PDB file of all heavy atoms in Angstrom:
ATOM      1  N   PRO D 554     -27.284   0.855  -8.116  1.00 97.00           N
ATOM      2  CA  PRO D 554     -26.270  -0.151  -8.536  1.00 97.00           C
ATOM      3  C   PRO D 554     -25.032   0.565  -8.996  1.00 97.00           C
ATOM      4  O   PRO D 554     -25.152   1.654  -9.610  1.00 97.00           O
ATOM      5  CB  PRO D 554     -26.941  -0.960  -9.583  1.00 97.00           C
ATOM      6  CG  PRO D 554     -28.092  -0.116 -10.048  1.00 97.00           C
ATOM      7  CD  PRO D 554     -28.542   0.693  -8.934  1.00 97.00           C
ATOM      8  N   VAL D 555     -23.890  -0.007  -8.876  1.00 98.00           N
ATOM      9  CA  VAL D 555     -22.646   0.649  -9.263  1.00 98.00           C
ATOM     10  C   VAL D 555     -22.441   0.569 -10.792  1.00 98.00           C
ATOM     11  O   VAL D 555     -21.733   1.471 -11.284  1.00 98.00           O
ATOM     12  CB  VAL D 555     -21.433   0.038  -8.448  1.00 98.00           C
ATOM     13  CG1 VAL D 555     -21.053  -1.306  -8.995  1.00 98.00           C
ATOM     14  CG2 VAL D 555     -20.308   0.967  -8.472  1.00 98.00           C
ATOM     15  N   GLY D 556     -22.960  -0.413 -11.421  1.00 97.00           N
ATOM     16  CA  GLY D 556     -22.721  -0.535 -12.830  1.00 97.00           C
ATOM     17  C   GLY D 556     -23.155   0.676 -13.651  1.00 97.00           C
ATOM     18  O   GLY D 556     -22.318   1.347 -14.398  1.00 97.00           O
ATOM     19  N   PRO D 557     -24.401   1.109 -13.554  1.00 97.00           N
ATOM     20  CA  PRO D 557     -24.836   2.348 -14.311  1.00 97.00           C
ATOM     21  C   PRO D 557     -24.044   3.557 -13.790  1.00 97.00           C
ATOM     22  O   PRO D 557     -23.796   4.432 -14.666  1.00 97.00           O
ATOM     23  CB  PRO D 557     -26.305   2.418 -13.870  1.00 97.00           C
ATOM     24  CG  PRO D 557     -26.713   1.018 -13.523  1.00 97.00           C
ATOM     25  CD  PRO D 557     -25.563   0.362 -12.907  1.00 97.00           C
ATOM     26  N   GLU D 558     -23.631   3.613 -12.586  1.00 98.00           N
ATOM     27  CA  GLU D 558     -22.863   4.789 -12.159  1.00 98.00           C
ATOM     28  C   GLU D 558     -21.531   4.794 -12.824  1.00 98.00           C
ATOM     29  O   GLU D 558     -21.020   5.884 -13.229  1.00 98.00           O
ATOM     30  CB  GLU D 558     -22.719   4.747 -10.618  1.00 98.00           C
ATOM     31  CG  GLU D 558     -21.909   5.921 -10.020  1.00 98.00           C
ATOM     32  CD  GLU D 558     -22.659   7.257 -10.136  1.00 98.00           C
ATOM     33  OE1 GLU D 558     -23.776   7.300 -10.685  1.00 98.00           O
ATOM     34  OE2 GLU D 558     -21.995   8.258  -9.717  1.00 98.00           O
ATOM     35  N   LEU D 559     -20.877   3.625 -13.026  1.00 98.00           N
ATOM     36  CA  LEU D 559     -19.584   3.554 -13.719  1.00 98.00           C
ATOM     37  C   LEU D 559     -19.764   4.020 -15.189  1.00 98.00           C
ATOM     38  O   LEU D 559     -18.956   4.667 -15.760  1.00 98.00           O
ATOM     39  CB  LEU D 559     -19.022   2.141 -13.591  1.00 98.00           C
ATOM     40  CG  LEU D 559     -18.437   1.799 -12.309  1.00 98.00           C
ATOM     41  CD1 LEU D 559     -18.270   0.290 -12.112  1.00 98.00           C
ATOM     42  CD2 LEU D 559     -17.028   2.471 -12.126  1.00 98.00           C
ATOM     43  N   GLN D 560     -20.938   3.603 -15.730  1.00 97.00           N
ATOM     44  CA  GLN D 560     -21.136   4.030 -17.166  1.00 97.00           C
ATOM     45  C   GLN D 560     -21.391   5.563 -17.243  1.00 97.00           C
ATOM     46  O   GLN D 560     -20.985   6.208 -18.205  1.00 97.00           O
ATOM     47  CB  GLN D 560     -22.430   3.294 -17.715  1.00 97.00           C
ATOM     48  CG  GLN D 560     -22.168   1.816 -17.829  1.00 97.00           C
ATOM     49  CD  GLN D 560     -20.952   1.370 -18.677  1.00 97.00           C
ATOM     50  OE1 GLN D 560     -20.699   1.942 -19.734  1.00 97.00           O
ATOM     51  NE2 GLN D 560     -20.138   0.477 -18.176  1.00 97.00           N
ATOM     52  N   ARG D 561     -22.044   6.096 -16.258  1.00 97.00           N
ATOM     53  CA  ARG D 561     -22.262   7.535 -16.215  1.00 97.00           C
ATOM     54  C   ARG D 561     -20.889   8.268 -16.121  1.00 97.00           C
ATOM     55  O   ARG D 561     -20.629   9.234 -16.791  1.00 97.00           O
ATOM     56  CB  ARG D 561     -23.084   7.902 -15.007  1.00 97.00           C
ATOM     57  CG  ARG D 561     -23.558   9.357 -14.962  1.00 97.00           C
ATOM     58  CD  ARG D 561     -24.468   9.665 -13.788  1.00 97.00           C
ATOM     59  NE  ARG D 561     -23.729   9.743 -12.523  1.00 97.00           N
ATOM     60  CZ  ARG D 561     -23.113  10.888 -12.106  1.00 97.00           C
ATOM     61  NH1 ARG D 561     -23.188  11.979 -12.863  1.00 97.00           N
ATOM     62  NH2 ARG D 561     -22.489  10.869 -10.940  1.00 97.00           N
ATOM     63  N   LEU D 562     -20.005   7.753 -15.234  1.00 98.00           N
ATOM     64  CA  LEU D 562     -18.692   8.278 -15.127  1.00 98.00           C
ATOM     65  C   LEU D 562     -17.946   8.180 -16.463  1.00 98.00           C
ATOM     66  O   LEU D 562     -17.200   9.066 -16.926  1.00 98.00           O
ATOM     67  CB  LEU D 562     -17.878   7.620 -14.018  1.00 98.00           C
ATOM     68  CG  LEU D 562     -18.170   8.046 -12.618  1.00 98.00           C
ATOM     69  CD1 LEU D 562     -17.365   7.193 -11.631  1.00 98.00           C
ATOM     70  CD2 LEU D 562     -17.792   9.541 -12.418  1.00 98.00           C
ATOM     71  N   ALA D 563     -18.075   7.048 -17.088  1.00 97.00           N
ATOM     72  CA  ALA D 563     -17.445   6.801 -18.405  1.00 97.00           C
ATOM     73  C   ALA D 563     -17.878   7.862 -19.450  1.00 97.00           C
ATOM     74  O   ALA D 563     -17.041   8.420 -20.172  1.00 97.00           O
ATOM     75  CB  ALA D 563     -17.734   5.401 -18.990  1.00 97.00           C
ATOM     76  N   ASP D 564     -19.154   8.157 -19.439  1.00 96.00           N
ATOM     77  CA  ASP D 564     -19.630   9.179 -20.368  1.00 96.00           C
ATOM     78  C   ASP D 564     -19.050  10.526 -20.077  1.00 96.00           C
ATOM     79  O   ASP D 564     -18.699  11.298 -20.992  1.00 96.00           O
ATOM     80  CB  ASP D 564     -21.169   9.281 -20.276  1.00 96.00           C
ATOM     81  CG  ASP D 564     -21.873   7.952 -20.786  1.00 96.00           C
ATOM     82  OD1 ASP D 564     -21.184   7.167 -21.414  1.00 96.00           O
ATOM     83  OD2 ASP D 564     -23.080   7.805 -20.445  1.00 96.00           O
ATOM     84  N   LEU D 565     -18.859  10.785 -18.773  1.00 95.00           N
ATOM     85  CA  LEU D 565     -18.294  12.130 -18.436  1.00 95.00           C
ATOM     86  C   LEU D 565     -16.798  12.173 -18.671  1.00 95.00           C
ATOM     87  O   LEU D 565     -16.268  13.185 -19.069  1.00 95.00           O
ATOM     88  CB  LEU D 565     -18.567  12.373 -16.974  1.00 95.00           C
ATOM     89  CG  LEU D 565     -20.002  12.627 -16.538  1.00 95.00           C
ATOM     90  CD1 LEU D 565     -20.172  12.637 -15.051  1.00 95.00           C
ATOM     91  CD2 LEU D 565     -20.514  13.974 -17.147  1.00 95.00           C
ATOM     92  N   LEU D 566     -16.067  11.093 -18.378  1.00 95.00           N
ATOM     93  CA  LEU D 566     -14.684  11.121 -18.376  1.00 95.00           C
ATOM     94  C   LEU D 566     -13.994  10.664 -19.663  1.00 95.00           C
ATOM     95  O   LEU D 566     -12.966  11.269 -20.011  1.00 95.00           O
ATOM     96  CB  LEU D 566     -14.105  10.209 -17.235  1.00 95.00           C
ATOM     97  CG  LEU D 566     -14.542  10.739 -15.847  1.00 95.00           C
ATOM     98  CD1 LEU D 566     -14.164   9.668 -14.765  1.00 95.00           C
ATOM     99  CD2 LEU D 566     -13.822  12.092 -15.513  1.00 95.00           C
ATOM    100  N   ILE D 567     -14.563   9.705 -20.310  1.00 94.00           N
ATOM    101  CA  ILE D 567     -13.845   9.220 -21.521  1.00 94.00           C
ATOM    102  C   ILE D 567     -14.054  10.108 -22.617  1.00 94.00           C
ATOM    103  O   ILE D 567     -13.123  10.446 -23.412  1.00 94.00           O
ATOM    104  CB  ILE D 567     -14.309   7.771 -21.858  1.00 94.00           C
ATOM    105  CG1 ILE D 567     -13.985   6.843 -20.704  1.00 94.00           C
ATOM    106  CG2 ILE D 567     -13.657   7.301 -23.153  1.00 94.00           C
ATOM    107  CD1 ILE D 567     -14.400   5.390 -20.965  1.00 94.00           C
ATOM    108  N   THR D 568     -15.271  10.748 -22.730  1.00 78.00           N
ATOM    109  CA  THR D 568     -15.436  11.607 -23.857  1.00 78.00           C
ATOM    110  C   THR D 568     -14.599  12.869 -23.777  1.00 78.00           C
ATOM    111  O   THR D 568     -14.099  13.356 -24.740  1.00 78.00           O
ATOM    112  CB  THR D 568     -16.966  12.011 -23.957  1.00 78.00           C
ATOM    113  OG1 THR D 568     -17.388  12.462 -22.663  1.00 78.00           O
ATOM    114  CG2 THR D 568     -17.808  10.835 -24.406  1.00 78.00           C
TER     115      THR D 568
END
Side-chain angles (χ1 to χ4, degrees):
Chain D
V555 75
E558 180 67 2
L559 285 161
Q560 295 303 316
R561 190 179 75 85
L562 280 175
D564 294 344
L565 292 170
L566 295 171
I567 299 181
T568 50

